[in-house]
Amino acid sequence: MAGCGDAGDGTNSGASEPTSGTDDPSTTSSTSASDATGDATTGTDSDPWASPYCQQVADDRPVNGWPDDWGAREEAMLEAVNNVRSSPTNCGKNGDFPAVNPLVMNPQIRCAARNHSLDMSTRDFFGHENPDGELVGDRFNNAGYAYAFAGENLAGGVDLQTAEQAVAGLLTSDDHCANMMGANYTEFGAGFFEGSGALTLYWTQTFGRPAGS
């Protein structure tokens, strides 16, 4: 079962830091959200995977394409999140959420999610802020996604083999739940990575709404 790390409240710019632990050091999760507007800095409208930032995690990346199985798990994550959004859901301290419209996969914030899962495994850390100080909004900018709202949920551990297992764990956290039920979000990205980091399996969920929408 996933436990919580630092968490955002789903509405305010930046992140608060309520914490809770887990008895299983191999499995953990974290959430963050922001409503600050971001400005896209890279990427192209014709091919969102063409920028150097996204090419390194593209399906046809230069060294070892992103495995089909990982991409299938990311698609399954979108389906699992939309299944949650399809019904009224209680998110504990955040209250009751009505059913909300399904999210659609966006390649740019999927690129951001993949990059973060890759980064967490490669540099062996777990959190929204990477060792360079970048947060989810910075990753959206790097991927060329200009946003009005940005959010991120993280989960990791050897027990989280499937998207359904990851979502079930995240739903035990009020703030992760609120991110998944957020009506401000219209687009979604998912990044799954299996690597040499301490948690082995890394899941990043990204939530966005484009600027001007």
Side-chain angles (χ1 to χ4, degrees):
M1 182 177 68
C4 295
D6 55 283
D9 64 10
T11 56
N12 294 326
S13 178
S16 57
E17 296 185 352
T19 60
S20 63
T22 173
D23 292 331
D24 180 0
S26 68
T27 305
T28 187
S29 59
S30 185
T31 177
S32 179
S34 173
D35 63 3
T37 300
D39 296 319
T41 56
T42 62
T44 67
D45 292 333
S46 59
D47 183 3
W49 297 100
S51 71
Y53 180 76
C54 290
Q55 182 59 46
Q56 65 184 344
V57 294
D59 291 338
D60 60 348
R61 60 181 177 170
V63 178
N64 298 326
W66 204 256
D68 291 342
D69 175 61
W70 294 2
R73 295 193 210 199
E74 293 163 2
E75 295 291 343
M77 177 62 81
L78 172 63
E79 182 178 357
V81 170
N82 280 336
N83 284 341
V84 173
R85 290 170 67 89
S86 69
S87 301
T89 300
N90 178 269
C91 292
K93 69 181 182 182
N94 295 310
D96 293 317
F97 287 74
V100 66
N101 289 334
L103 302 170
V104 297
M105 189 77 82
N106 176 281
Q108 290 167 307
I109 62 175
R110 189 178 193 175
C111 157
R114 285 182 174 184
N115 265 292
H116 195 50
S117 290
L118 168 64
D119 193 22
M120 287 191 293
S121 177
T122 302
R123 296 200 275 182
D124 201 12
F125 72 96
F126 184 83
H128 300 290
E129 184 173 357
N130 75 9
D132 301 320
E134 292 182 345
L135 297 168
V136 58
D138 301 305
R139 291 186 279 278
F140 279 18
N141 287 337
N142 291 341
Y145 185 81
Y147 64 91
F149 293 90
E152 183 177 78
N153 283 349
L154 307 177
V158 294
D159 294 334
L160 303 183
Q161 295 282 339
T162 69
E164 293 76 15
Q165 289 169 332
V167 166
L170 289 166
L171 282 173
T172 65
S173 159
D174 298 345
D175 290 329
H176 298 126
C177 175
N179 255 357
M180 285 188 277
M181 292 300 296
N184 286 327
Y185 300 130
T186 59
E187 298 184 321
F188 183 77
F192 172 83
F193 190 85
E194 181 175 358
S196 59
L199 297 177
T200 305
L201 305 181
Y202 293 82
W203 294 89
T204 300
Q205 296 178 338
T206 48
F207 304 86
R209 186 185 188 100
S213 66

